[in-house]
Amino acid sequence: MRNRILRKSVEGLNRRYNDILESHVENMKDYLVFFCGDIQNFANDMKDRTFLRFSLENTMSILESKFPKSSIFIMKPSVTKESTNFFVNFLAYKSNAPSYNSLGRGIEHLQSLLTRCGFDQEKEVGLMGFSHGGVVLNQFLHELSEQSPRLQFGAFYLLDVGHGGKDEFYVTDATLLGASVGRFKKFCVYSTPYQDRHENRSSERSLFLENLKALGCNSKSQICFKDREASLENHFELLNAFTV
Protein backbone atom coordinates (compact mmCIF):
# COMPACT_ATOMS: atom_id res chain seq x y z
CA MET A 1 0.00 0.00 0.00
CA ARG A 2 1.44 3.36 -1.02
CA ASN A 3 1.00 6.76 0.51
CA ARG A 4 1.41 9.84 -1.70
CA ILE A 5 2.25 13.25 -0.30
CA LEU A 6 2.58 16.56 -2.13
CA ARG A 7 4.78 18.99 -0.25
CA LYS A 8 4.71 22.58 -1.48
CA SER A 9 7.65 24.97 -1.16
CA VAL A 10 9.95 22.66 0.79
CA GLU A 11 12.96 24.65 1.96
CA GLY A 12 16.34 23.21 1.15
CA LEU A 13 19.65 25.04 1.15
CA ASN A 14 19.84 28.80 1.76
CA ARG A 15 16.14 29.58 1.19
CA ARG A 16 15.86 27.55 -1.98
CA TYR A 17 12.41 25.97 -2.36
CA ASN A 18 11.07 23.04 -4.35
CA ASP A 19 7.70 21.31 -4.58
CA ILE A 20 8.08 17.57 -4.05
CA LEU A 21 5.73 14.74 -4.91
CA GLU A 22 6.43 11.74 -2.69
CA SER A 23 5.30 8.13 -2.76
CA HIS A 24 6.09 5.97 0.26
CA VAL A 25 5.78 2.24 0.76
CA GLU A 26 5.95 0.19 3.96
CA ASN A 27 9.19 -1.71 4.55
CA MET A 28 10.87 0.30 1.84
CA LYS A 29 14.26 -0.87 0.58
CA ASP A 30 15.69 2.39 -0.73
CA TYR A 31 14.88 5.77 -2.26
CA LEU A 32 14.59 7.00 -5.83
CA VAL A 33 14.81 10.71 -6.73
CA PHE A 34 13.45 11.65 -10.16
CA PHE A 35 14.17 14.83 -12.13
CA CYS A 36 11.70 15.40 -14.95
CA GLY A 37 12.00 16.72 -18.49
CA ASP A 38 10.56 19.76 -20.21
CA ILE A 39 6.77 19.97 -20.66
CA GLN A 40 6.25 17.80 -17.58
CA ASN A 41 4.49 19.40 -14.64
CA PHE A 42 1.62 18.69 -12.31
CA ALA A 43 -1.44 17.81 -14.38
CA ASN A 44 -3.33 21.02 -13.66
CA ASP A 45 -0.32 23.13 -14.64
CA MET A 46 0.66 21.43 -17.91
CA LYS A 47 0.27 23.83 -20.81
CA ASP A 48 0.83 21.14 -23.45
CA ARG A 49 -2.08 18.78 -22.82
CA THR A 50 -0.85 16.40 -25.54
CA PHE A 51 1.42 14.69 -23.03
CA LEU A 52 -0.86 14.87 -20.03
CA ARG A 53 -0.40 11.14 -19.49
CA PHE A 54 3.20 11.97 -18.55
CA SER A 55 2.30 14.56 -15.93
CA LEU A 56 4.27 14.30 -12.71
CA GLU A 57 1.39 12.42 -11.07
CA ASN A 58 1.17 9.89 -13.94
CA THR A 59 4.95 9.57 -14.10
CA MET A 60 4.85 8.70 -10.42
CA SER A 61 2.46 5.85 -11.22
CA ILE A 62 4.93 4.54 -13.79
CA LEU A 63 7.80 4.70 -11.32
CA GLU A 64 5.74 3.05 -8.58
CA SER A 65 5.20 0.04 -10.83
CA LYS A 66 8.88 -0.22 -11.73
CA PHE A 67 10.22 0.36 -8.21
CA PRO A 68 7.70 -1.37 -5.91
CA LYS A 69 10.04 -1.44 -2.90
CA SER A 70 11.32 2.12 -3.19
CA SER A 71 10.07 5.35 -1.71
CA ILE A 72 10.08 7.87 -4.55
CA PHE A 73 10.59 11.62 -4.69
CA ILE A 74 9.78 13.64 -7.81
CA MET A 75 11.43 17.06 -7.70
CA LYS A 76 9.43 19.75 -9.46
CA PRO A 77 11.70 22.34 -11.16
CA SER A 78 11.51 25.71 -9.45
CA VAL A 79 11.35 27.65 -12.73
CA THR A 80 9.29 26.96 -15.88
CA LYS A 81 9.35 29.19 -18.96
CA GLU A 82 7.22 28.33 -22.00
CA SER A 83 7.04 24.67 -20.87
CA THR A 84 10.84 24.53 -20.48
CA ASN A 85 11.92 23.52 -17.00
CA PHE A 86 14.98 24.86 -15.20
CA PHE A 87 16.48 23.26 -12.09
CA VAL A 88 18.06 26.49 -10.89
CA ASN A 89 18.16 25.35 -7.26
CA PHE A 90 20.52 22.51 -8.21
CA LEU A 91 22.81 24.08 -10.82
CA ALA A 92 23.51 27.28 -12.71
CA TYR A 93 22.41 28.10 -16.27
CA LYS A 94 23.93 30.33 -18.92
CA SER A 95 21.88 31.24 -21.99
CA ASN A 96 19.37 28.46 -21.16
CA ALA A 97 22.14 25.83 -21.08
CA PRO A 98 23.55 24.19 -17.94
CA SER A 99 26.74 25.58 -16.47
CA TYR A 100 28.33 22.80 -14.42
CA ASN A 101 30.49 23.52 -11.39
CA SER A 102 32.32 20.99 -9.23
CA LEU A 103 32.03 23.40 -6.29
CA GLY A 104 28.25 23.71 -6.64
CA ARG A 105 25.88 22.81 -3.83
CA GLY A 106 23.21 20.82 -5.64
CA ILE A 107 23.72 17.64 -3.64
CA GLU A 108 23.72 19.62 -0.42
CA HIS A 109 20.39 21.15 -1.47
CA LEU A 110 18.99 17.69 -2.26
CA GLN A 111 20.10 16.35 1.09
CA SER A 112 18.44 19.28 2.88
CA LEU A 113 15.17 18.65 1.01
CA LEU A 114 15.20 14.94 1.79
CA THR A 115 15.90 15.62 5.45
CA ARG A 116 12.84 17.88 5.60
CA CYS A 117 10.82 14.95 4.22
CA GLY A 118 11.86 12.51 6.95
CA PHE A 119 14.66 10.89 5.00
CA ASP A 120 16.45 7.86 6.52
CA GLN A 121 20.17 8.46 5.97
CA GLU A 122 20.91 4.75 6.35
CA LYS A 123 19.10 3.98 3.07
CA GLU A 124 20.57 4.25 -0.42
CA VAL A 125 19.41 6.92 -2.83
CA GLY A 126 19.01 6.17 -6.52
CA LEU A 127 19.00 9.06 -9.00
CA MET A 128 17.09 9.33 -12.27
CA GLY A 129 17.14 12.14 -14.81
CA PHE A 130 14.81 12.14 -17.80
CA SER A 131 15.52 14.46 -20.74
CA HIS A 132 16.33 17.93 -19.33
CA GLY A 133 16.35 16.43 -15.83
CA GLY A 134 19.58 14.63 -16.72
CA VAL A 135 21.52 17.88 -16.30
CA VAL A 136 21.01 17.65 -12.54
CA LEU A 137 22.70 14.25 -12.48
CA ASN A 138 25.55 15.62 -14.58
CA GLN A 139 25.96 18.41 -12.04
CA PHE A 140 26.08 15.85 -9.24
CA LEU A 141 28.90 13.98 -11.01
CA HIS A 142 30.87 17.23 -11.18
CA GLU A 143 30.31 17.87 -7.47
CA LEU A 144 31.27 14.34 -6.46
CA SER A 145 34.65 14.78 -8.15
CA GLU A 146 35.51 17.37 -5.47
CA GLN A 147 33.11 16.73 -2.59
CA SER A 148 32.18 13.86 -0.26
CA PRO A 149 28.54 14.23 0.83
CA ARG A 150 26.99 11.94 3.43
CA LEU A 151 24.39 10.49 1.05
CA GLN A 152 24.74 6.84 0.12
CA PHE A 153 24.02 6.47 -3.57
CA GLY A 154 22.68 3.42 -5.39
CA ALA A 155 21.74 3.39 -9.08
CA PHE A 156 22.23 6.20 -11.59
CA TYR A 157 19.70 6.41 -14.44
CA LEU A 158 19.98 8.69 -17.46
CA LEU A 159 17.00 8.64 -19.84
CA ASP A 160 17.33 10.40 -23.22
CA VAL A 161 19.25 13.39 -21.90
CA GLY A 162 18.87 16.75 -23.64
CA HIS A 163 18.83 20.49 -22.98
CA GLY A 164 18.90 23.82 -24.83
CA GLY A 165 22.67 24.02 -25.26
CA LYS A 166 25.03 22.72 -27.95
CA ASP A 167 27.14 20.33 -25.87
CA GLU A 168 27.75 18.84 -22.41
CA PHE A 169 24.79 16.49 -22.55
CA TYR A 170 26.87 13.82 -20.81
CA VAL A 171 29.96 14.03 -18.63
CA THR A 172 32.86 12.90 -20.82
CA ASP A 173 35.92 13.98 -18.83
CA ALA A 174 37.59 10.70 -17.84
CA THR A 175 39.47 12.24 -14.92
CA LEU A 176 36.33 13.79 -13.48
CA LEU A 177 34.40 10.55 -13.90
CA GLY A 178 37.21 8.59 -12.30
CA ALA A 179 36.80 10.71 -9.18
CA SER A 180 33.01 10.45 -8.98
CA VAL A 181 31.49 7.28 -10.46
CA GLY A 182 32.71 5.07 -7.62
CA ARG A 183 29.92 6.48 -5.47
CA PHE A 184 27.28 4.58 -7.50
CA LYS A 185 26.51 0.87 -7.68
CA LYS A 186 25.33 0.81 -11.28
CA PHE A 187 24.67 3.04 -14.28
CA CYS A 188 21.72 2.64 -16.65
CA VAL A 189 21.67 4.78 -19.79
CA TYR A 190 18.70 4.78 -22.16
CA SER A 191 18.14 6.82 -25.30
CA THR A 192 15.85 7.11 -28.32
CA PRO A 193 16.31 8.46 -31.86
CA TYR A 194 14.74 11.72 -30.66
CA GLN A 195 18.00 12.67 -28.94
CA ASP A 196 20.37 10.39 -30.84
CA ARG A 197 19.59 12.05 -34.17
CA HIS A 198 21.88 14.85 -32.94
CA GLU A 199 25.43 13.62 -33.58
CA ASN A 200 26.96 15.48 -30.67
CA ARG A 201 24.50 13.98 -28.22
CA SER A 202 24.97 10.41 -29.43
CA SER A 203 28.77 10.78 -29.57
CA GLU A 204 28.89 12.18 -26.04
CA ARG A 205 26.71 9.32 -24.80
CA SER A 206 29.04 6.80 -26.45
CA LEU A 207 32.10 8.41 -24.86
CA PHE A 208 30.40 8.48 -21.47
CA LEU A 209 29.69 4.76 -21.74
CA GLU A 210 33.22 4.00 -22.93
CA ASN A 211 34.62 5.80 -19.90
CA LEU A 212 32.31 3.91 -17.56
CA LYS A 213 33.51 0.63 -19.04
CA ALA A 214 37.17 1.66 -18.77
CA LEU A 215 36.62 2.57 -15.13
CA GLY A 216 35.12 -0.86 -14.41
CA CYS A 217 31.62 0.41 -13.64
CA ASN A 218 28.58 -1.82 -13.61
CA SER A 219 26.67 -0.29 -16.52
CA LYS A 220 24.10 -1.08 -19.17
CA SER A 221 22.71 0.92 -22.08
CA GLN A 222 19.97 0.61 -24.65
CA ILE A 223 18.63 2.60 -27.60
CA CYS A 224 14.87 2.16 -27.55
CA PHE A 225 12.59 2.53 -30.59
CA LYS A 226 15.62 2.59 -32.89
CA ASP A 227 13.50 1.12 -35.70
CA ARG A 228 11.09 4.07 -35.51
CA GLU A 229 11.33 7.65 -36.65
CA ALA A 230 12.50 10.19 -34.10
CA SER A 231 9.52 11.73 -32.33
CA LEU A 232 8.65 13.51 -29.12
CA GLU A 233 6.01 10.82 -28.60
CA ASN A 234 8.62 8.06 -28.43
CA HIS A 235 10.86 10.28 -26.33
CA PHE A 236 8.18 10.31 -23.63
CA GLU A 237 7.25 6.66 -24.19
CA LEU A 238 10.75 5.80 -22.98
CA LEU A 239 9.39 6.33 -19.48
CA ASN A 240 7.20 3.28 -20.03
CA ALA A 241 9.78 1.29 -21.99
CA PHE A 242 12.92 1.42 -19.87
CA THR A 243 13.73 -1.48 -17.57
CA VAL A 244 15.22 -1.38 -14.10
Side-chain angles (χ1 to χ4, degrees), residues 160-206:
D160 226 17
V161 178
H163 57 71
K166 297 181 179 179
D167 56 12
E168 294 192 298
F169 301 98
Y170 294 85
V171 178
T172 57
D173 185 305
T175 302
L176 188 153
L177 288 172
S180 60
V181 295
R183 294 295 301 268
F184 297 92
K185 288 191 171 182
K186 69 175 182 178
F187 290 81
C188 302
V189 182
Y190 293 88
S191 59
T192 75
Y194 180 76
Q195 300 289 13
D196 264 20
R197 60 183 168 163
H198 304 282
E199 183 177 352
N200 55 340
R201 301 185 190 193
S202 61
S203 61
E204 283 190 13
R205 178 179 53 78
S206 296

Side-chain angles (χ1 to χ4, degrees), residues 222-234:
Q222 182 180 355
I223 302 174
C224 297
F225 312 124
K226 58 184 178 180
D227 58 339
R228 304 182 192 178
E229 292 186 7
S231 70
L232 189 58
E233 177 79 20
N234 287 334

Side-chain angles (χ1 to χ4, degrees), residues 17-80:
Y17 299 89
N18 283 89
D19 293 349
I20 304 174
L21 179 61
E22 305 172 30
S23 175
H24 296 283
V25 62
E26 292 184 4
N27 301 317
M28 51 85 71
K29 177 183 177 183
D30 54 19
Y31 296 100
L32 176 71
V33 180
F34 177 85
F35 298 92
C36 68
D38 292 336
I39 299 177
Q40 290 183 290
N41 204 326
F42 294 121
N44 289 338
D45 298 324
M46 284 186 68
K47 293 182 179 180
D48 188 339
R49 312 300 284 181
T50 306
F51 297 101
L52 188 61
R53 66 188 183 283
F54 295 107
S55 68
L56 297 186
E57 296 94 331
N58 289 334
T59 297
M60 179 64 87
S61 296
I62 295 172
L63 296 176
E64 287 171 341
S65 68
K66 292 178 182 289
F67 298 88
K69 297 182 179 180
S70 300
S71 284
I72 303 167
F73 299 88
I74 292 183
M75 298 288 165
K76 181 182 181 295
S78 55
V79 174
T80 300

Side-chain angles (χ1 to χ4, degrees), residues 112-129:
S112 295
L113 292 174
L114 295 178
T115 299
R116 296 270 187 180
C117 298
F119 167 68
D120 182 353
Q121 295 190 22
E122 300 300 316
K123 302 289 187 179
E124 289 184 351
V125 180
L127 301 175
M128 180 178 294

